Amino acid sequence: MRPEEAIKLFGLNNLTIESDIRKIERDLDINLGHRRDAEERIDQTYYPQFAERLRNEASRMATNYVIFYCLENSIREVISKRLEEEHGQGWWDAAVPEKVRVNAKSNRKKEIESGFTPRSSDLIDFTTFGELGEIIKSNWDIFGDMLSDIKAVEKVLATLNTLRAPIAHCKALAEDEELRLHLGLRDWFRLME
């Protein structure tokens, strides 16, 4: 594993540990120095009007979102860097499956036509989490030295993709599913060793 990949994995692993510490703080109602004063950063005009149950649930789910945000974007970075090293600046057209390229282009077009500021100029940022797995699988000769087994990668990414849906669609994860997210993240790190 290259040093920059090891550093990224170290950072993501620390996010998992921090999340576990926050869960302990929440469950035991203690402060170990990792609580955030989120309400200070949120518009106080409207936020207090939401039910306390929803505010508490949102606070709990925020950590899961942060973990998944970091994971998904770090996978995008690994893919981009590896494929650019192998194929140069034209890696997107040379190495990404056509179906993924077409979908990403369509997603970017829809965003531009909406009048909103595009999220990125890089097409990989318009791919779904599942499509990232497809890019890795179709370029296994390039990723095989850093990921231990293609079947394991498929399984771990499928599990994480299933857990992504409630996070992305603002639904709470059950306690078991939060644990499964953390285990899935650890499985991903193990695959990258």
Side-chain angles (χ1 to χ4, degrees), residues 162-178:
T162 300
L163 294 166
R164 181 188 187 280
I167 296 168
H169 296 282
C170 300
K171 295 308 295 173
L173 284 177
E175 188 175 326
D176 287 351
E177 304 319 317
E178 282 191 67

Side-chain angles (χ1 to χ4, degrees), residues 57-73:
E57 194 173 271
S59 178
R60 184 176 61 94
M61 285 302 295
T63 301
N64 297 323
Y65 175 80
V66 168
I67 289 170
F68 214 97
Y69 179 95
C70 292
L71 171 68
E72 189 167 328
N73 284 292

